[in-house]
Amino acid sequence: AFVSSFIVKDTRPDGRPFSMCRPTHISTDILQKHTAGSALVKLGDTQVLCGVVLKVGVPNTADTGDIQCDNDPNLEQLLMSVLNLKCLLIEPGKAAWRLQISWQILNDDGNCDDAKVLAAVAALRNTILPPVQLITNNATTKTNGIVEIQDDNGITKGKPLEFTTCPVPLTVGLCSLANHQGDSEGKNDNTLLIADPTVEEQVVLDGTLTIIVDAMNDSKDILYLRHSGMMGIGRKELAVSAHMAYERAKELDGILYAG
């Protein structure tokens, strides 16, 4: 009955078309005292806060810094692939920045995964690396720490992170009309694609597809693809979902860069 009510009207409980995401708002520099970068994302009534904390570690084998995400290895791998990690190097073989990224879900009205990605990207774009120099013990030649470099006016001038891509996510809910008696009457397709599903809509989904594309370049590269649930997805549904993701990237490109 729930699915029938909005399929017949060709709309959704909140009035959106199936392909439309909820209004998205991004605010940066929310946590000024305890982070190097931060962002708050409001995706409809879903709200996610993200902060980036700078730590100093030993460079990896490629002589770069790295990123650590709280309990999300997939997102950690994605974010490491979109940054120029060389910019995190402080001194070859001795020290590099480690970006610790954490989230707080303030309100869950569905699709928190997309909000987390957007919040992380916005927080990283808001992050400034301070200029530092190593403090070395001459007797042991070991590094004891770092100190920020200030100009003649006592001001520390840092540099932003270097992005190679700008990831924008879109999660699409998959709903099999065949599983809902009477819902498919008058419909040519057996699969309903629901962009940016709410908590109310997630209850009736048979699966989800998350596509992350690059908003920085025009190559239409898919940076990440994840399918979950028992329902399969065909080429047509994949193509339509990808097109929706590209349109979402265009929509959020200015918002991410402005934030």
Side-chain angles (χ1 to χ4, degrees):
F2 172 81
V3 180
S4 300
S5 64
F6 67 81
I7 288 180
V8 170
K9 297 176 183 178
D10 202 29
T11 187
R12 299 161 71 170
D14 57 11
R16 287 182 290 154
F18 298 129
S19 61
M20 179 180 290
C21 296
R22 290 168 290 177
T24 305
H25 303 281
I26 301 176
S27 304
T28 57
D29 222 14
I30 301 297
L31 307 172
Q32 298 184 14
K33 290 187 177 181
H34 305 292
T35 65
S38 59
L40 172 65
V41 167
K42 297 180 180 180
L43 183 57
D45 289 331
T46 293
Q47 298 185 35
V48 175
L49 180 66
C50 180
V52 179
V53 175
L54 296 180
K55 297 184 178 181
V56 177
V58 178
N60 58 27
T61 54
D63 226 12
T64 66
D66 61 13
I67 295 174
Q68 291 184 336
C69 295
D70 289 351
N71 302 317
D72 199 329
N74 291 329
L75 186 50
E76 180 178 301
Q77 184 177 10
L78 170 71
L79 294 176
M80 288 186 67
S81 68
V82 304
L83 284 179
N84 176 13
L85 298 179
K86 284 287 187 181
C87 75
L88 301 179
L89 184 64
I90 298 174
E91 186 164 328
K94 294 184 178 180
W97 292 114
R98 174 168 294 156
L99 308 182
Q100 183 72 45
I101 303 176
S102 57
W103 294 266
Q104 180 67 46
I105 297 175
L106 305 180
N107 191 57
D108 182 359
D109 189 40
N111 199 14
C112 284
D113 287 346
D114 281 12
K116 283 180 63 178
V117 175
L118 292 174
V121 173
L124 288 171
R125 297 195 66 85
N126 180 240
T127 297
I128 299 295
L129 299 176
V132 295
Q133 64 183 17
L134 298 181
I135 301 175
T136 303
N137 187 320
N138 293 330
T140 62
T141 66
K142 291 184 178 180
T143 300
N144 293 336
I146 61 172
V147 61
E148 290 189 4
I149 302 173
Q150 299 179 338
D151 62 16
D152 295 337
N153 297 319
I155 300 175
T156 300
K157 296 181 179 180
K159 64 177 181 178
L161 299 174
E162 298 175 13
F163 281 77
T164 57
T165 61
C166 183
V168 172
L170 176 67
T171 293
V172 178
L174 309 175
C175 183
S176 173
L177 301 182
N179 291 340
H180 304 276
Q181 187 174 3
D183 289 345
S184 59
E185 184 177 355
K187 298 288 182 178
N188 294 324
D189 300 320
N190 293 323
T191 302
L192 181 64
L193 303 177
I194 305 176
D196 179 28
T198 63
V199 164
E200 186 180 24
E201 293 167 335
Q202 286 176 175
V203 176
V204 299
L205 297 181
D206 300 296
T208 60
L209 177 68
T210 297
I211 301 177
I212 299 180
V213 298
D214 181 14
M216 182 180 291
N217 304 302
D218 296 327
S219 59
K220 291 190 175 181
D221 288 339
I222 293 179
L223 305 176
Y224 178 82
L225 184 68
R226 182 184 66 191
H227 171 261
S228 62
M230 299 298 293
M231 181 179 179
I233 184 167
R235 291 185 178 182
K236 179 180 178 180
E237 290 78 18
L238 181 59
V240 172
S241 299
H243 177 74
M244 292 164 60
Y246 297 139
E247 293 301 310
R248 179 64 165 162
K250 293 178 183 178
E251 174 190 349
L252 294 184
D253 181 27
I255 299 177
L256 283 171
Y257 276 89

